[in-house]
Amino acid sequence: MIEIKLSYKPGCVLFYVMHCEEGEFYGGIDKDMRLFVSQGCPYRELMLRTLINKCMDTDFPRFTTEDVWGVPLEQFGFAKEGEVYAAAASALSLPDPCKTCK
Protein backbone atom coordinates (compact mmCIF):
# COMPACT_ATOMS: atom_id res chain seq x y z
CA MET A 1 0.00 0.00 0.00
CA ILE A 2 1.18 3.51 -0.80
CA GLU A 3 0.31 6.34 1.57
CA ILE A 4 1.13 10.01 1.04
CA LYS A 5 0.58 12.29 4.02
CA LEU A 6 0.85 16.04 4.29
CA SER A 7 3.56 16.95 6.77
CA TYR A 8 5.73 19.92 7.79
CA LYS A 9 9.33 20.79 7.06
CA PRO A 10 10.93 24.19 7.72
CA GLY A 11 11.68 26.02 4.48
CA CYS A 12 8.89 24.29 2.56
CA VAL A 13 5.57 25.68 1.42
CA LEU A 14 4.25 22.15 1.05
CA PHE A 15 5.79 18.87 2.21
CA TYR A 16 4.59 15.29 1.84
CA VAL A 17 5.87 12.02 3.24
CA MET A 18 5.26 8.87 1.18
CA HIS A 19 5.21 5.52 2.95
CA CYS A 20 5.35 2.44 0.75
CA GLU A 21 6.76 -1.06 0.66
CA GLU A 22 10.10 0.33 -0.56
CA GLY A 23 10.50 2.76 2.36
CA GLU A 24 9.83 6.38 3.22
CA PHE A 25 10.26 9.16 0.65
CA TYR A 26 9.66 12.91 0.53
CA GLY A 27 8.39 15.47 -1.91
CA GLY A 28 7.25 19.03 -1.76
CA ILE A 29 7.61 22.64 -2.74
CA ASP A 30 10.40 24.71 -1.25
CA LYS A 31 10.25 28.44 -0.40
CA ASP A 32 11.45 29.26 -3.94
CA MET A 33 8.39 27.44 -5.36
CA ARG A 34 10.51 24.57 -6.68
CA LEU A 35 8.93 21.12 -6.72
CA PHE A 36 11.24 18.38 -5.45
CA VAL A 37 11.24 14.66 -4.70
CA SER A 38 13.66 12.54 -2.70
CA GLN A 39 16.16 10.56 -4.70
CA GLY A 40 15.15 6.95 -5.22
CA CYS A 41 11.42 7.52 -4.81
CA PRO A 42 9.82 4.62 -6.70
CA TYR A 43 6.55 6.49 -7.32
CA ARG A 44 7.77 9.87 -8.54
CA GLU A 45 4.85 10.44 -10.90
CA LEU A 46 2.39 9.87 -8.05
CA MET A 47 4.26 12.42 -5.93
CA LEU A 48 4.32 14.88 -8.86
CA ARG A 49 0.57 14.48 -9.38
CA THR A 50 -0.04 15.01 -5.66
CA LEU A 51 1.97 18.25 -5.72
CA ILE A 52 0.44 19.56 -8.95
CA ASN A 53 -3.04 18.88 -7.62
CA LYS A 54 -2.29 21.28 -4.76
CA CYS A 55 -0.57 23.86 -7.02
CA MET A 56 -3.21 24.19 -9.71
CA ASP A 57 -5.59 26.46 -7.83
CA THR A 58 -3.13 28.70 -6.03
CA ASP A 59 -2.25 32.36 -6.46
CA PHE A 60 1.47 31.65 -6.69
CA PRO A 61 2.85 33.14 -9.93
CA ARG A 62 4.94 30.16 -11.04
CA PHE A 63 6.58 26.91 -10.07
CA THR A 64 9.84 25.35 -11.20
CA THR A 65 11.33 21.88 -11.10
CA GLU A 66 14.18 19.83 -12.49
CA ASP A 67 13.77 16.89 -14.85
CA VAL A 68 13.83 14.30 -12.03
CA TRP A 69 10.32 12.90 -12.25
CA GLY A 70 10.74 10.20 -14.90
CA VAL A 71 7.89 11.54 -17.05
CA PRO A 72 7.70 14.30 -19.69
CA LEU A 73 6.96 17.44 -17.70
CA GLU A 74 5.38 19.19 -20.70
CA GLN A 75 2.30 16.97 -20.34
CA PHE A 76 1.72 18.58 -16.93
CA GLY A 77 2.01 22.14 -18.27
CA PHE A 78 5.70 22.82 -17.65
CA ALA A 79 7.94 24.40 -20.30
CA LYS A 80 11.73 24.21 -20.45
CA GLU A 81 13.42 27.43 -19.30
CA GLY A 82 17.18 27.03 -19.40
CA GLU A 83 18.16 24.30 -16.95
CA VAL A 84 14.74 24.03 -15.28
CA TYR A 85 11.09 23.55 -16.16
CA ALA A 86 8.61 26.27 -15.19
CA ALA A 87 4.83 26.71 -15.17
CA ALA A 88 2.23 29.13 -13.88
CA ALA A 89 -0.39 27.58 -11.63
CA SER A 90 -3.00 28.25 -14.33
CA ALA A 91 -0.94 26.27 -16.88
CA LEU A 92 -0.64 23.13 -14.74
CA SER A 93 -2.80 20.13 -15.50
CA LEU A 94 -3.17 16.48 -14.55
CA PRO A 95 -3.26 14.45 -17.75
CA ASP A 96 -5.20 11.21 -17.85
CA PRO A 97 -2.74 8.58 -16.58
CA CYS A 98 -3.98 6.10 -19.21
CA LYS A 99 -2.64 8.41 -21.93
CA THR A 100 0.83 8.30 -20.36
CA CYS A 101 0.91 4.50 -20.17
CA LYS A 102 3.14 2.76 -22.69
Side-chain angles (χ1 to χ4, degrees):
M1 183 167 113
I2 302 168
E3 182 177 61
I4 299 177
K5 289 187 175 184
L6 186 60
S7 190
Y8 172 77
K9 181 177 180 181
C12 291
V13 174
L14 194 62
F15 186 74
Y16 283 99
V17 178
M18 174 188 285
H19 299 277
C20 59
E21 212 172 84
E22 293 84 352
E24 184 175 280
F25 302 93
Y26 309 96
I29 303 170
D30 68 17
K31 62 180 174 50
D32 296 321
M33 299 296 138
R34 181 185 63 88
L35 282 69
F36 65 90
V37 64
S38 57
Q39 190 173 10
C41 179
Y43 304 102
R44 293 173 289 171
E45 183 176 352
L46 178 58
M47 183 65 80
L48 178 64
R49 287 176 173 277
T50 301
L51 294 170
I52 288 175
N53 186 54
K54 289 292 187 184
C55 295
M56 289 170 53
D57 296 322
T58 66
D59 292 329
F60 295 116
R62 72 184 220 132
F63 299 94
T64 62
T65 191
E66 285 81 30
D67 187 13
V68 296
W69 300 94
V71 293
L73 293 170
E74 293 85 358
Q75 68 185 354
F76 293 93
F78 286 95
K80 184 86 167 154
E81 286 186 7
E83 297 297 315
V84 299
Y85 286 81
S90 61
L92 292 172
S93 66
L94 291 172
D96 183 344
C98 291
K99 291 180 182 175
T100 62
C101 297
K102 294 183 178 159

XYZ file of all heavy atoms in Angstrom:
808
model
N 0.835 -1.182 0.000
C 0.000 0.000 0.000
C 0.883 1.249 0.000
O 1.908 1.291 0.675
C -0.902 -0.002 1.230
C -1.849 1.164 1.248
S -3.130 0.927 2.472
C -2.690 2.214 3.598
N 0.471 2.239 -0.737
C 1.182 3.515 -0.795
C 0.346 4.552 -0.065
O -0.859 4.672 -0.301
C 1.392 3.967 -2.250
C 2.158 2.910 -3.029
C 2.128 5.300 -2.283
C 2.164 3.152 -4.516
N 0.992 5.299 0.808
C 0.310 6.337 1.571
C 1.127 7.618 1.472
O 2.339 7.607 1.688
C 0.192 5.878 3.022
C -0.536 6.832 3.907
C -0.665 6.270 5.308
O 0.371 6.010 5.951
O -1.805 6.084 5.752
N 0.463 8.713 1.112
C 1.130 10.014 1.044
C 0.416 10.934 2.018
O -0.779 11.169 1.892
C 1.088 10.607 -0.383
C 1.797 9.681 -1.361
C 1.737 11.981 -0.396
C 1.743 10.149 -2.799
N 1.176 11.436 2.987
C 0.583 12.292 4.016
C 1.221 13.668 4.004
O 2.451 13.791 3.900
C 0.793 11.683 5.398
C -0.033 10.455 5.652
C 0.121 10.018 7.093
C -0.794 8.862 7.412
N -0.714 8.489 8.816
N 0.383 14.672 4.144
C 0.852 16.040 4.288
C 1.606 16.145 5.605
O 1.174 15.604 6.624
C -0.338 16.995 4.268
C -0.038 18.477 4.264
C 0.782 18.869 3.037
C -1.345 19.261 4.296
N 2.742 16.816 5.581
C 3.565 16.954 6.774
C 4.120 18.371 6.815
O 3.659 19.248 6.084
C 4.694 15.913 6.734
O 5.365 15.871 7.966
N 5.116 18.605 7.650
C 5.730 19.918 7.788
C 7.240 19.781 7.762
O 7.803 18.859 8.366
C 5.310 20.578 9.106
C 6.063 21.858 9.382
C 5.726 23.031 8.722
C 7.128 21.870 10.269
C 6.431 24.199 8.956
C 7.842 23.040 10.511
C 7.488 24.199 9.848
O 8.191 25.358 10.061
N 7.873 20.698 7.053
C 9.325 20.792 7.058
C 9.690 22.266 6.931
O 9.199 22.946 6.025
C 9.928 19.998 5.900
C 11.441 20.054 5.897
C 12.033 19.206 4.789
C 13.547 19.316 4.852
N 14.182 18.535 3.798
N 10.531 22.788 7.816
C 10.932 24.188 7.719
C 11.534 24.477 6.338
O 12.259 23.665 5.781
C 12.003 24.336 8.808
C 11.720 23.234 9.777
C 11.167 22.109 8.956
N 11.169 25.622 5.787
C 11.682 26.021 4.482
C 10.850 25.521 3.323
O 11.169 25.781 2.169
N 9.758 24.811 3.626
C 8.894 24.289 2.564
C 7.504 24.915 2.658
O 6.959 25.089 3.741
C 8.764 22.778 2.671
S 10.279 21.902 2.267
N 6.943 25.213 1.508
C 5.570 25.684 1.424
C 4.623 24.501 1.570
O 3.559 24.600 2.170
C 5.342 26.403 0.073
C 3.895 26.779 -0.120
C 6.244 27.623 -0.035
N 5.037 23.372 1.019
C 4.252 22.149 1.050
C 5.222 20.986 1.169
O 6.261 20.977 0.504
C 3.454 22.045 -0.251
C 2.332 21.036 -0.344
C 1.238 21.323 0.679
C 1.731 21.077 -1.737
N 4.895 20.013 2.006
C 5.789 18.873 2.206
C 4.962 17.620 2.442
O 4.036 17.618 3.256
C 6.705 19.139 3.407
C 7.762 18.101 3.606
C 8.863 18.032 2.778
C 7.661 17.180 4.644
C 9.848 17.068 2.955
C 8.637 16.218 4.839
C 9.735 16.169 3.989
N 5.282 16.567 1.695
C 4.593 15.292 1.838
C 5.585 14.195 2.185
O 6.729 14.219 1.744
C 3.905 14.896 0.523
C 2.623 15.637 0.257
C 2.604 16.727 -0.604
C 1.435 15.242 0.849
C 1.419 17.401 -0.867
C 0.250 15.905 0.596
C 0.252 16.983 -0.271
O -0.922 17.643 -0.521
N 5.099 13.215 2.933
C 5.866 12.018 3.237
C 5.115 10.842 2.621
O 3.912 10.676 2.853
C 6.016 11.807 4.758
C 6.778 10.526 5.051
C 6.705 13.000 5.406
N 5.832 10.062 1.810
C 5.265 8.874 1.183
C 5.779 7.641 1.916
O 6.983 7.472 2.089
C 5.673 8.795 -0.285
C 5.242 7.514 -0.975
S 5.920 7.329 -2.645
C 4.913 8.499 -3.540
N 4.863 6.806 2.348
C 5.206 5.524 2.949
C 4.764 4.440 1.974
O 3.620 4.440 1.517
C 4.487 5.326 4.287
C 4.835 6.356 5.300
N 5.951 6.275 6.079
C 4.209 7.506 5.651
C 6.004 7.331 6.881
N 4.962 8.088 6.639
N 5.676 3.539 1.650
C 5.354 2.442 0.747
C 6.224 1.247 1.107
O 7.077 1.328 2.001
C 5.549 2.848 -0.711
S 7.216 3.378 -1.134
N 6.007 0.166 0.420
C 6.763 -1.059 0.658
C 8.274 -0.830 0.574
O 9.055 -1.452 1.286
C 6.339 -2.083 -0.409
C 6.376 -3.501 0.026
C 5.760 -4.378 -1.047
O 6.489 -4.740 -1.987
O 4.561 -4.690 -0.919
N 8.677 0.073 -0.321
C 10.100 0.327 -0.557
C 10.742 1.243 0.487
O 11.957 1.405 0.507
C 10.302 0.938 -1.952
C 9.971 -0.005 -3.086
C 8.480 -0.041 -3.449
O 7.649 0.557 -2.737
O 8.148 -0.686 -4.429
N 9.947 1.884 1.322
C 10.498 2.757 2.356
C 9.722 4.047 2.512
O 8.545 4.138 2.183
N 10.421 5.069 2.998
C 9.834 6.384 3.224
C 10.522 7.381 2.304
O 11.756 7.427 2.250
C 10.022 6.776 4.685
C 9.371 8.078 5.046
C 9.474 8.370 6.536
O 8.680 7.819 7.307
O 10.388 9.131 6.903
N 9.736 8.199 1.605
C 10.264 9.161 0.650
C 9.567 10.493 0.844
O 8.491 10.565 1.450
C 10.078 8.641 -0.780
C 10.739 7.309 -0.997
C 10.036 6.128 -0.826
C 12.075 7.235 -1.331
C 10.640 4.895 -0.995
C 12.697 6.008 -1.503
C 11.978 4.844 -1.335
N 10.162 11.556 0.314
C 9.659 12.906 0.526
C 9.469 13.635 -0.791
O 10.138 13.351 -1.775
C 10.644 13.709 1.388
C 11.031 12.985 2.642
C 12.197 12.233 2.707
C 10.200 13.025 3.754
C 12.543 11.550 3.858
C 10.541 12.343 4.907
C 11.709 11.606 4.959
O 12.040 10.920 6.083
N 8.586 14.587 -0.774
C 8.395 15.466 -1.910
C 7.726 16.732 -1.424
O 7.085 16.738 -0.366
N 7.883 17.799 -2.187
C 7.246 19.028 -1.760
C 7.579 20.200 -2.641
O 8.053 20.051 -3.776
N 7.331 21.372 -2.076
C 7.605 22.641 -2.742
C 8.384 23.486 -1.751
O 7.926 23.731 -0.632
C 6.306 23.354 -3.133
C 5.463 22.445 -4.026
C 6.611 24.672 -3.829
C 4.064 22.944 -4.270
N 9.586 23.903 -2.158
C 10.401 24.710 -1.249
C 9.986 26.181 -1.301
O 9.084 26.561 -2.058
C 11.898 24.506 -1.508
C 12.380 25.056 -2.835
O 11.688 25.883 -3.466
O 13.480 24.647 -3.255
N 10.623 27.013 -0.498
C 10.254 28.437 -0.402
C 10.452 29.195 -1.706
O 9.874 30.263 -1.893
C 11.017 29.105 0.733
C 12.520 29.110 0.553
C 13.208 29.781 1.723
C 14.700 29.690 1.662
N 15.343 30.066 0.456
N 11.239 28.637 -2.628
C 11.446 29.258 -3.940
C 10.449 28.735 -4.975
O 10.624 28.963 -6.161
C 12.879 29.008 -4.412
C 13.900 29.671 -3.501
O 13.651 30.802 -3.049
O 14.942 29.033 -3.230
N 9.439 28.006 -4.520
C 8.387 27.439 -5.364
C 8.921 26.386 -6.342
O 8.439 26.215 -7.444
C 7.622 28.520 -6.141
C 6.927 29.516 -5.269
S 5.652 28.707 -4.283
C 5.906 29.514 -2.734
N 9.916 25.650 -5.886
C 10.513 24.568 -6.678
C 9.972 23.237 -6.163
O 10.062 22.930 -4.981
C 12.038 24.590 -6.530
C 12.745 23.504 -7.346
C 14.241 23.502 -7.071
N 14.549 23.178 -5.686
C 14.724 21.931 -5.215
N 14.649 20.905 -6.020
N 15.004 21.736 -3.939
N 9.413 22.449 -7.070
C 8.934 21.115 -6.725
C 10.126 20.170 -6.635
O 11.023 20.228 -7.483
C 7.962 20.596 -7.783
C 6.525 21.137 -7.737
C 6.457 22.595 -8.109
C 5.645 20.316 -8.653
N 10.132 19.318 -5.624
C 11.236 18.381 -5.452
C 10.713 17.032 -4.970
O 9.594 16.917 -4.464
C 12.277 18.929 -4.459
C 11.754 19.071 -3.055
C 11.853 18.026 -2.144
C 11.165 20.253 -2.629
C 11.372 18.146 -0.854
C 10.679 20.382 -1.338
C 10.790 19.337 -0.444
N 11.546 16.012 -5.160
C 11.235 14.659 -4.698
C 12.538 14.035 -4.213
O 13.610 14.335 -4.748
C 10.585 13.810 -5.815
C 11.523 13.596 -6.975
C 10.036 12.501 -5.278
N 12.451 13.186 -3.198
C 13.659 12.539 -2.702
C 14.191 11.550 -3.734
O 13.421 10.900 -4.454
C 13.420 11.863 -1.354
O 12.387 10.919 -1.421
N 15.496 11.460 -3.769
C 16.157 10.560 -4.696
C 15.752 9.119 -4.385
O 15.639 8.733 -3.233
C 17.661 10.720 -4.587
C 18.427 10.013 -5.659
C 19.902 10.348 -5.585
O 20.387 10.952 -4.628
N 20.635 9.943 -6.593
N 15.507 8.352 -5.411
C 15.154 6.950 -5.225
C 13.679 6.689 -5.003
O 13.282 5.537 -4.814
N 12.861 7.720 -5.001
C 11.421 7.520 -4.810
C 10.891 6.656 -5.958
O 11.033 7.018 -7.122
C 10.697 8.861 -4.781
S 8.910 8.711 -4.588
N 10.278 5.518 -5.640
C 9.816 4.619 -6.703
C 8.519 5.073 -7.379
O 8.168 4.560 -8.431
C 9.608 3.292 -5.974
C 9.314 3.677 -4.574
C 10.095 4.937 -4.313
N 7.828 6.025 -6.785
C 6.548 6.489 -7.325
C 6.590 7.997 -7.528
O 5.761 8.743 -7.010
C 5.402 6.087 -6.388
C 5.376 4.601 -6.133
C 5.872 4.069 -4.952
C 4.894 3.727 -7.108
C 5.872 2.697 -4.727
C 4.899 2.353 -6.892
C 5.390 1.852 -5.705
O 5.393 0.484 -5.492
N 7.566 8.431 -8.312
C 7.768 9.868 -8.535
C 6.579 10.520 -9.227
O 6.203 11.637 -8.881
C 9.048 10.110 -9.317
C 10.297 9.733 -8.517
C 11.532 9.822 -9.350
N 11.478 8.699 -10.296
C 12.291 8.528 -11.310
N 13.220 9.417 -11.558
N 12.182 7.494 -12.103
N 5.996 9.833 -10.211
C 4.852 10.444 -10.903
C 3.681 10.644 -9.943
O 2.991 11.656 -10.000
C 4.405 9.619 -12.110
C 3.271 10.309 -12.854
C 2.827 9.613 -14.119
O 3.478 8.650 -14.565
O 1.795 10.042 -14.675
N 3.451 9.715 -9.049
C 2.388 9.870 -8.055
C 2.661 11.076 -7.164
O 1.749 11.865 -6.877
C 2.258 8.597 -7.214
C 1.214 8.628 -6.100
C -0.179 8.912 -6.651
C 1.245 7.317 -5.337
N 3.905 11.254 -6.745
C 4.258 12.422 -5.929
C 4.066 13.705 -6.735
O 3.527 14.694 -6.227
C 5.695 12.317 -5.416
C 6.107 13.457 -4.506
S 5.199 13.548 -2.937
C 6.059 12.286 -2.008
N 4.490 13.706 -7.998
C 4.315 14.877 -8.856
C 2.840 15.220 -9.002
O 2.454 16.384 -8.872
C 4.951 14.622 -10.226
C 4.802 15.745 -11.251
C 5.518 17.005 -10.789
C 5.338 15.279 -12.604
N 2.016 14.237 -9.249
C 0.575 14.477 -9.378
C -0.025 15.022 -8.080
O -0.894 15.898 -8.096
C -0.150 13.201 -9.799
C 0.091 12.826 -11.243
C -0.576 11.496 -11.615
N -0.465 11.252 -13.032
C -1.287 11.748 -13.957
N -2.289 12.523 -13.593
N -1.108 11.485 -15.228
N 0.439 14.523 -6.955
C -0.041 15.013 -5.660
C 0.309 16.494 -5.500
O -0.536 17.297 -5.094
C 0.585 14.194 -4.512
O 0.228 12.820 -4.679
C 0.125 14.688 -3.157
N 1.535 16.857 -5.845
C 1.969 18.254 -5.725
C 1.222 19.158 -6.703
O 0.755 20.235 -6.330
C 3.480 18.357 -5.949
C 4.342 17.676 -4.890
C 5.791 17.618 -5.339
C 4.211 18.392 -3.550
N 1.122 18.738 -7.943
C 0.439 19.558 -8.950
C -1.020 19.762 -8.587
O -1.567 20.856 -8.756
C 0.600 18.941 -10.354
C 2.034 19.139 -10.833
C -0.384 19.562 -11.341
C 2.368 18.480 -12.148
N -1.658 18.740 -8.044
C -3.044 18.878 -7.624
C -3.207 20.024 -6.627
O -4.182 20.770 -6.679
C -3.529 17.561 -7.018
C -4.991 17.594 -6.689
O -5.816 17.895 -7.529
N -5.324 17.274 -5.447
N -2.242 20.193 -5.741
C -2.294 21.282 -4.764
C -1.902 22.628 -5.372
O -2.337 23.666 -4.910
C -1.365 20.987 -3.581
C -1.858 19.889 -2.694
C -3.096 20.322 -1.956
C -3.500 19.288 -0.936
N -4.734 19.634 -0.269
N -1.070 22.623 -6.402
C -0.569 23.860 -7.016
C -1.553 24.506 -7.980
O -1.531 25.720 -8.166
C 0.709 23.580 -7.810
S 2.105 23.060 -6.838
N -2.390 23.719 -8.603
C -3.214 24.190 -9.715
C -4.117 25.366 -9.366
O -4.333 26.239 -10.193
C -4.052 23.034 -10.265
C -3.225 22.022 -11.005
S -4.067 20.486 -11.441
C -5.505 21.042 -12.292
N -4.633 25.413 -8.194
C -5.591 26.461 -7.825
C -5.024 27.469 -6.834
O -5.741 27.985 -5.995
C -6.856 25.824 -7.247
C -7.589 24.988 -8.257
O -7.641 25.395 -9.434
O -8.098 23.921 -7.891
N -3.730 27.738 -6.944
C -3.125 28.699 -6.027
C -2.908 30.043 -6.714
O -3.029 30.149 -7.933
C -1.763 28.194 -5.505
O -0.850 28.144 -6.605
C -1.881 26.831 -4.858
N -2.557 31.029 -5.930
C -2.250 32.357 -6.459
C -0.759 32.559 -6.689
O -0.332 33.655 -7.029
C -2.749 33.432 -5.486
C -4.269 33.479 -5.420
O -4.920 33.182 -6.442
O -4.803 33.806 -4.348
N 0.042 31.514 -6.474
C 1.475 31.653 -6.692
C 1.726 31.888 -8.182
O 1.098 31.234 -9.024
C 2.234 30.428 -6.204
C 2.157 30.238 -4.717
C 1.545 29.125 -4.173
C 2.688 31.186 -3.858
C 1.463 28.945 -2.809
C 2.618 31.024 -2.476
C 2.003 29.906 -1.953
N 2.647 32.792 -8.520
C 2.847 33.138 -9.925
C 3.427 32.021 -10.781
O 3.041 31.864 -11.941
C 3.784 34.337 -9.898
C 4.413 34.328 -8.546
C 3.464 33.607 -7.630
N 4.355 31.229 -10.235
C 4.937 30.158 -11.040
C 5.677 29.157 -10.168
O 6.057 29.455 -9.040
C 5.854 30.689 -12.126
C 7.154 31.233 -11.661
C 7.955 31.839 -12.820
N 9.349 31.491 -12.657
C 10.139 31.006 -13.575
N 9.692 30.817 -14.787
N 11.381 30.716 -13.339
N 5.861 27.989 -10.730
C 6.577 26.908 -10.071
C 7.692 26.442 -10.999
O 7.579 26.543 -12.214
C 5.634 25.729 -9.795
C 4.499 26.084 -8.885
C 3.282 26.490 -9.401
C 4.646 26.021 -7.517
C 2.227 26.828 -8.565
C 3.613 26.348 -6.672
C 2.395 26.752 -7.191
N 8.751 25.916 -10.410
C 9.838 25.348 -11.202
C 10.159 23.947 -10.680
O 9.786 23.594 -9.561
C 11.122 26.200 -11.144
O 11.587 26.255 -9.797
C 10.893 27.599 -11.688
N 10.855 23.198 -11.507
C 11.329 21.882 -11.101
C 12.421 21.432 -12.050
O 12.570 21.990 -13.138
C 10.182 20.841 -11.055
O 10.649 19.663 -10.407
C 9.648 20.533 -12.436
N 13.169 20.440 -11.633
C 14.175 19.835 -12.495
C 13.559 18.594 -13.145
O 12.522 18.106 -12.725
C 15.426 19.437 -11.686
C 16.301 20.617 -11.292
C 15.775 21.337 -10.064
O 15.135 20.691 -9.210
O 15.975 22.561 -9.959
N 14.235 18.072 -14.137
C 13.771 16.887 -14.846
C 14.171 15.633 -14.059
O 15.053 14.885 -14.450
C 14.366 16.862 -16.260
C 13.793 15.761 -17.116
O 12.775 15.165 -16.726
O 14.378 15.484 -18.179
N 13.511 15.423 -12.913
C 13.833 14.301 -12.028
C 12.641 13.364 -11.811
O 12.717 12.443 -10.995
C 14.324 14.808 -10.641
C 15.620 15.581 -10.773
C 13.252 15.656 -9.965
N 11.567 13.584 -12.538
C 10.320 12.895 -12.254
C 10.103 11.624 -13.061
O 9.204 10.847 -12.770
C 9.151 13.863 -12.446
C 9.268 15.040 -11.540
C 9.827 16.258 -11.834
C 8.878 15.109 -10.176
N 9.778 17.077 -10.737
C 9.200 16.400 -9.706
C 8.271 14.213 -9.300
C 8.943 16.801 -8.401
C 8.014 14.623 -7.993
C 8.345 15.902 -7.558
N 10.874 11.419 -14.104
C 10.736 10.203 -14.897
C 9.589 10.218 -15.890
O 9.250 9.180 -16.457
N 8.970 11.364 -16.078
C 7.889 11.536 -17.055
C 8.110 12.862 -17.771
O 8.751 13.769 -17.220
C 6.493 11.525 -16.390
C 6.168 10.163 -15.804
C 6.384 12.591 -15.320
N 7.575 13.015 -18.990
C 7.700 14.297 -19.689
C 6.917 15.390 -18.955
O 5.700 15.294 -18.799
C 7.105 14.028 -21.071
C 7.051 12.544 -21.203
C 6.934 11.996 -19.815
N 7.604 16.396 -18.493
C 6.960 17.443 -17.698
C 6.031 18.336 -18.519
O 5.123 18.956 -17.973
C 8.025 18.276 -16.995
C 8.797 17.499 -15.922
C 10.001 18.296 -15.440
C 7.889 17.135 -14.768
N 6.234 18.376 -19.829
C 5.379 19.193 -20.697
C 3.918 18.756 -20.618
O 3.010 19.587 -20.725
C 5.861 19.121 -22.155
C 7.204 19.763 -22.390
C 8.397 18.844 -22.105
O 8.197 17.672 -21.669
O 9.532 19.289 -22.309
N 3.677 17.461 -20.411
C 2.295 16.972 -20.342
C 1.567 17.482 -19.100
O 0.345 17.426 -19.025
C 2.248 15.455 -20.405
C 2.814 14.754 -19.198
C 2.858 13.245 -19.369
O 2.363 12.705 -20.337
N 3.451 12.571 -18.409
N 2.314 18.014 -18.141
C 1.716 18.578 -16.927
C 1.630 20.106 -16.989
O 1.197 20.731 -16.030
C 2.518 18.159 -15.701
C 2.442 16.683 -15.438
C 3.398 15.823 -15.942
C 1.400 16.142 -14.705
C 3.333 14.449 -15.719
C 1.312 14.774 -14.482
C 2.275 13.926 -14.989
N 2.089 20.699 -18.100
C 2.011 22.144 -18.270
C 3.314 22.880 -18.085
O 3.358 24.101 -18.191
N 4.403 22.182 -17.811
C 5.703 22.822 -17.652
C 6.341 23.069 -19.012
O 6.101 22.326 -19.964
C 6.646 21.936 -16.821
C 6.329 21.915 -15.358
C 5.531 20.910 -14.831
C 6.824 22.887 -14.507
C 5.236 20.865 -13.479
C 6.535 22.858 -13.151
C 5.737 21.847 -12.637
N 7.164 24.100 -19.095
C 7.945 24.399 -20.300
C 9.402 24.556 -19.886
O 9.697 25.073 -18.803
C 7.443 25.678 -20.969
N 10.288 24.124 -20.737
C 11.734 24.214 -20.454
C 12.160 25.675 -20.464
O 11.842 26.423 -21.379
C 12.495 23.407 -21.513
C 13.975 23.341 -21.295
C 14.338 22.220 -20.366
C 15.841 21.991 -20.437
N 16.377 21.425 -19.268
N 12.857 26.081 -19.405
C 13.424 27.432 -19.296
C 14.859 27.286 -18.827
O 15.117 27.184 -17.627
C 12.639 28.287 -18.301
C 11.310 28.759 -18.799
C 10.639 29.728 -17.842
O 11.265 30.149 -16.840
O 9.471 30.049 -18.088
N 15.781 27.232 -19.764
C 17.178 27.033 -19.404
C 17.387 25.646 -18.830
O 17.091 24.654 -19.474
N 17.870 25.581 -17.596
C 18.160 24.301 -16.949
C 16.978 23.724 -16.169
O 17.059 22.624 -15.646
C 19.350 24.468 -15.989
C 20.641 24.859 -16.680
C 21.116 23.781 -17.644
O 21.103 22.595 -17.272
O 21.476 24.138 -18.782
N 15.891 24.480 -16.059
C 14.737 24.028 -15.278
C 13.476 24.025 -16.134
O 13.469 24.518 -17.255
C 14.501 24.913 -14.026
C 15.693 24.872 -13.093
C 14.161 26.331 -14.403
N 12.417 23.483 -15.558
C 11.090 23.548 -16.160
C 10.264 24.494 -15.296
O 10.398 24.496 -14.068
C 10.445 22.168 -16.194
C 11.036 21.270 -17.245
C 12.231 20.593 -17.011
C 10.416 21.117 -18.473
C 12.787 19.776 -17.983
C 10.968 20.298 -19.446
C 12.147 19.638 -19.197
O 12.700 18.837 -20.165
N 9.405 25.292 -15.928
C 8.606 26.268 -15.187
C 7.170 26.257 -15.700
O 6.902 25.925 -16.860
C 9.198 27.658 -15.340
N 6.248 26.629 -14.805
C 4.833 26.712 -15.171
C 4.109 27.630 -14.200
O 4.411 27.644 -13.010
C 4.183 25.339 -15.146
N 3.146 28.385 -14.728
C 2.228 29.132 -13.878
C 1.202 28.150 -13.335
O 0.943 27.110 -13.951
C 1.533 30.220 -14.700
N 0.622 28.464 -12.201
C -0.394 27.585 -11.627
C -1.522 27.345 -12.622
O -2.021 26.219 -12.754
C -0.929 28.178 -10.330
N -1.906 28.378 -13.361
C -3.002 28.251 -14.332
C -2.648 27.353 -15.517
O -3.532 26.856 -16.211
C -3.420 29.631 -14.834
O -2.332 30.263 -15.477
N -1.367 27.113 -15.761
C -0.936 26.269 -16.881
C -0.830 24.797 -16.487
O -0.753 23.931 -17.356
C 0.408 26.756 -17.416
N -0.807 24.511 -15.193
C -0.639 23.131 -14.740
C -1.893 22.299 -14.995
O -3.012 22.800 -14.926
C -0.310 23.107 -13.245
C 1.045 23.682 -12.868
C 1.165 23.780 -11.351
C 2.164 22.846 -13.446
N -1.678 21.032 -15.293
C -2.801 20.125 -15.505
C -2.398 18.711 -15.093
O -1.212 18.399 -14.975
C -3.232 20.132 -16.970
O -2.221 19.590 -17.785
N -3.395 17.886 -14.891
C -3.173 16.484 -14.553
C -3.708 15.644 -15.718
O -4.903 15.390 -15.810
C -3.893 16.121 -13.257
C -3.330 16.758 -12.000
C -4.234 16.501 -10.811
C -1.925 16.228 -11.735
N -2.807 15.241 -16.606
C -3.257 14.447 -17.748
C -3.782 13.090 -17.304
O -3.392 12.569 -16.261
C -2.003 14.306 -18.606
C -0.873 14.463 -17.650
C -1.360 15.417 -16.591
N -4.663 12.540 -18.108
C -5.203 11.215 -17.854
C -4.047 10.223 -17.796
O -3.277 10.121 -18.739
C -6.166 10.855 -18.981
C -6.839 9.515 -18.778
O -6.379 8.710 -17.958
O -7.846 9.282 -19.465
N -3.883 9.499 -16.691
C -2.741 8.580 -16.584
C -2.757 7.478 -17.652
O -1.713 6.969 -18.018
C -2.858 7.997 -15.181
C -4.228 8.291 -14.725
C -4.716 9.461 -15.504
N -3.915 7.147 -18.171
C -3.976 6.104 -19.207
C -3.306 6.574 -20.494
O -2.778 5.774 -21.261
C -5.413 5.715 -19.488
S -6.155 4.828 -18.098
N -3.294 7.875 -20.741
C -2.638 8.413 -21.929
C -1.126 8.378 -21.799
O -0.414 8.425 -22.785
C -3.104 9.840 -22.189
C -4.545 9.920 -22.632
C -4.962 11.335 -22.888
C -6.423 11.375 -23.289
N -6.908 12.732 -23.435
N -0.626 8.319 -20.566
C 0.827 8.300 -20.361
C 1.369 6.881 -20.277
O 2.563 6.679 -20.240
C 1.211 9.071 -19.077
O 0.623 8.439 -17.950
C 0.776 10.524 -19.147
N 0.470 5.892 -20.227
C 0.915 4.495 -20.172
C 1.525 4.081 -21.509
O 1.084 4.522 -22.554
C -0.252 3.565 -19.853
S -0.981 3.867 -18.250
N 2.519 3.224 -21.447
C 3.141 2.763 -22.690
C 3.131 1.266 -22.715
O 3.161 0.587 -21.777
C 4.561 3.287 -22.768
C 4.555 4.778 -22.893
C 5.964 5.316 -23.045
C 5.810 6.800 -23.208
N 6.758 7.645 -22.981
